[in-house]
Amino acid sequence: MEQKYAEGNETMKPTRDSYVGVIHAYGNSGADSSFIHANEVFQRMMTQHSNGNEAVKPDISAYHALIRACSRASMNDSASTEQQRQALVLAIATIQEMKKSDLNRPNSKTYLLLLQCCIQLLPSGAERAKALRSIFRSCCKDGLIDQQVLNEFQSVVSTDVYHNEVVHAAHDYNGVKALPESWTRNLGYRVRTQTEDG
């Protein structure tokens, strides 16, 4: 498609959807190093856009597709620990790139996907717990903690970590715990959390 378009065939002009579809296909394939191939497609999409093809202008779904492809690196039984770490590094780099963007800034779903990526790619233990806390704190800093992020974080960390990171920081409003406003400031609404008893 790209070659035909480069040769002047306007009917073969790649679109964002065509690139995102291929990124998803690589992510779902379970093939060895599929996240690397997904990133190659993503980079070609970026190149097409920088060369003037507005039809491939990346949106947040393109970034999310790449992060999902990274998280699925663990689907391949032959994926080494090193490949899984490379996939996690790529997912983190993708979010860092989004933070530099004027158009495709991370949102709550971005952080949810990164939490899921970390869960899939790092073995349970101190390193994963540290990474999860770091992702959660970054989401707090960006004011993007929503109920899904909160639930995902709670489901994978110990009760002590959850209480230290969330419950102790929550404010009590008439018996209901609410997260600090700064954690949810970019959502447009407040998120409640469970009380210490529940």
Side-chain angles (χ1 to χ4, degrees):
M1 180 184 279
E2 292 167 326
Q3 184 175 345
K4 294 284 187 189
Y5 177 64
E7 292 169 357
N9 186 342
E10 286 291 321
T11 63
M12 297 300 286
K13 186 176 191 175
T15 65
R16 176 185 55 241
D17 291 343
S18 58
Y19 281 105
V20 171
V22 174
I23 293 167
H24 277 300
Y26 274 121
N28 291 330
S29 73
D32 201 26
S33 303
S34 58
F35 70 95
I36 293 171
H37 299 300
N39 185 46
E40 290 168 353
V41 172
F42 182 83
Q43 295 307 320
R44 289 199 322 258
M45 179 177 73
M46 299 296 274
T47 300
Q48 280 279 328
H49 182 252
S50 66
N51 288 340
N53 182 354
E54 283 299 312
V56 299
K57 184 176 181 179
D59 65 0
I60 200 161
S61 70
Y63 289 91
H64 286 175
L66 182 56
I67 296 167
R68 275 192 199 97
C70 291
S71 73
R72 293 183 176 139
S74 65
M75 284 177 31
N76 184 340
D77 293 335
S78 66
S80 68
T81 302
E82 182 57 31
Q83 285 177 316
Q84 291 183 11
R85 287 188 187 282
Q86 288 174 356
L88 183 58
V89 167
L90 176 57
I92 293 167
T94 300
I95 290 182
Q96 294 304 322
E97 190 64 33
M98 291 175 77
K99 287 184 175 191
K100 296 176 191 172
S101 169
D102 292 331
L103 301 174
N104 295 305
R105 309 258 323 144
N107 61 19
S108 295
K109 186 173 183 178
T110 311
Y111 281 105
L112 178 65
L113 291 170
L114 187 57
L115 284 171
Q116 292 168 344
C117 195
C118 182
I119 293 162
Q120 292 295 319
L121 299 174
L122 288 177
S124 187
E127 182 182 15
R128 181 167 89 173
K130 182 179 178 182
L132 291 168
R133 282 194 308 271
S134 177
I135 294 165
F136 183 79
R137 289 173 182 168
S138 185
C139 188
C140 291
K141 182 179 174 188
D142 287 351
L144 293 168
I145 297 291
D146 69 2
Q147 197 64 51
Q148 286 183 301
V149 169
L150 194 62
N151 290 345
E152 190 73 25
F153 184 69
Q154 183 179 18
S155 73
V156 296
V157 297
S158 70
T159 303
D160 287 343
V161 169
Y162 182 77
H163 279 248
N164 287 336
E165 295 290 328
V166 179
V167 176
H168 291 271
H171 302 290
D172 190 8
Y173 295 100
N174 298 323
V176 176
K177 289 276 191 175
L179 298 179
E181 287 182 42
S182 63
W183 289 11
T184 61
R185 72 185 177 280
N186 291 318
L187 296 177
Y189 60 90
R190 300 285 305 269
V191 177
R192 290 180 286 172
T193 185
Q194 295 179 346
T195 63
E196 289 197 31
D197 299 331

